[in-house]
Amino acid sequence: MTALVRDPIRLPARPGRRPPATGAASTALRPLLDPPRRPARVIAVFPSALYLETRGGPEPRVLAVVSCDAVRLPNAVVVAAERREQPFRSVREGDEALVGDGRVEAGALCVRVRRWWDPAPALGRLHPAALARGVGVLEDAFAAAGMAGGGLAGHPDPLRLADCCAEGDLAGAVEAAERIVGLGPGLTPSGDDILCGLLVSLRLIGGAVGGGDAAVWLADWLGAAVTADAGTRTTALAATLLHCAAAGGAGGEIAAVLRCVAGHEPPSAAVRRLLAIGHTSGTDLAWGVLAGCRAALALTSPARRRPAENTA
């Protein structure tokens, strides 16, 4: 996490409201938390997280407030409380909320942002040979953990998407990606989880590895394509997560796996944490991460150049 960057904000006491909780917010949320307060609505509440959607405005439109032992999404404010403490027990789905001026208010809950953290992990410079080793290590770790096919097992488009990305075929990748946006049940459908893992690994691994410009270029255009109308094709939360991933926002569990690929930590614990997310979300995210890492490796070959360069 980054150092403290905001002075404490004095809040007037309100009847029935608990003292403000302390939170650490993703820097992706600055467009929501820095401006004056705006209205929002609670769209979902769980023991370890609640989700608020703002009314209008650009992405990110959905903000997550999570306990310190919850999955750390790239659009999260993390509070200094564990799930067992029931930090969100006073909040109900459909409650009105306020977001801005460095705080989040929903029901009797008030969270004051005191610190910020960067959802894009620092991977350093990565040689293609080191990336090849890291991808192999990740493949072995996923296999050892018993990684299954995920929510879209047997569907042809995730495989086509992975193949097109590895070949640098933007048109084919966009066609396959657009067919899986919003595909699957839940707050984050399987197709969107796959795309989030793919986009963030393409961008971050491509940006770290020498000769990875083609992977970043592919992430730019593929991200623009899948986020263009995501707000009308999938859930509000999934649309926000797609925007975060397109910008390189990884979240805690994916960031740990990418650090394993870069050789900064052993993979077993990070892989288990990622695969444990949700019903199939962890496997879907992992599938996308692995496809993105493989594509970044394939696109670092000296023979592979961006289409724009080949037509010069």
Side-chain angles (χ1 to χ4, degrees):
M1 294 184 182
T2 58
L4 178 67
V5 296
R6 186 188 297 279
D7 290 332
I9 301 171
R10 292 188 178 276
L11 300 179
R14 297 187 182 183
R17 186 177 296 276
R18 288 179 285 169
T22 296
S26 165
T27 54
L29 294 173
R30 282 194 180 276
L32 281 181
L33 293 169
D34 278 343
R37 290 187 300 172
R38 70 181 74 176
R41 182 175 61 88
V42 178
I43 58 175
V45 183
F46 300 95
S48 60
L50 64 87
Y51 300 97
L52 301 92
E53 182 179 9
T54 58
R55 299 167 180 171
E59 290 286 354
R61 290 175 50 199
V62 174
L63 177 150
V65 183
V66 304
S67 61
C68 61
D69 54 350
V71 173
R72 183 171 298 193
L73 297 174
N75 62 329
V77 177
V78 184
V79 298
E82 296 180 356
R83 169 179 174 154
R84 61 183 175 80
E85 299 176 62
Q86 303 180 47
F88 313 122
R89 62 185 178 276
S90 66
V91 185
R92 300 289 180 269
E93 184 175 331
D95 281 354
E96 296 299 314
L98 292 170
V99 175
D101 285 336
R103 61 186 186 265
V104 178
E105 299 178 46
L109 177 72
C110 181
V111 179
R112 183 190 309 176
V113 175
R114 301 292 294 269
R115 292 187 294 170
W116 297 88
W117 58 276
D118 188 348
L123 302 179
R125 297 303 297 169
L126 187 60
H127 190 276
L131 174 57
R133 289 193 297 272
V135 171
V137 167
L138 187 60
E139 290 171 340
D140 291 344
F142 281 142
M147 177 176 152
L152 296 186
H155 195 287
D157 284 318
L159 291 175
R160 173 158 176 76
L161 173 63
D163 289 343
C164 289
C165 287
E167 295 166 3
D169 177 3
L170 174 62
V174 168
E175 183 180 355
E178 289 187 335
R179 285 198 293 264
I180 65 172
V181 172
L183 188 60
L187 281 175
T188 58
S190 289
D192 301 318
D193 285 331
I194 289 171
L195 287 167
C196 283
L198 173 69
L199 287 171
V200 79
S201 56
L202 269 178
R203 175 170 296 284
L204 295 179
I205 294 295
V209 69
D213 289 350
V216 176
W217 176 86
L218 182 61
D220 282 340
W221 286 98
L222 185 58
V226 300
T227 58
D229 59 350
T232 62
R233 299 187 58 195
T234 188
T235 66
L237 174 60
T240 288
L241 293 176
L242 283 170
H243 279 271
C244 289
E253 288 70 23
I254 291 180
V257 168
L258 293 181
R259 287 194 293 270
C260 297
V261 174
H264 300 319
E265 57 184 80
S268 56
V271 162
R272 287 196 303 270
R273 288 196 301 270
L274 177 60
L275 292 178
I277 296 174
H279 182 56
T280 65
S281 284
T283 300
D284 294 325
L285 288 166
W287 201 98
V289 166
L290 188 54
C293 290
R294 286 169 169 167
L297 178 60
L299 294 172
T300 58
S301 166
R304 304 307 297 256
R305 303 173 68 202
R306 295 186 306 179
E309 294 174 340
N310 290 334
T311 57

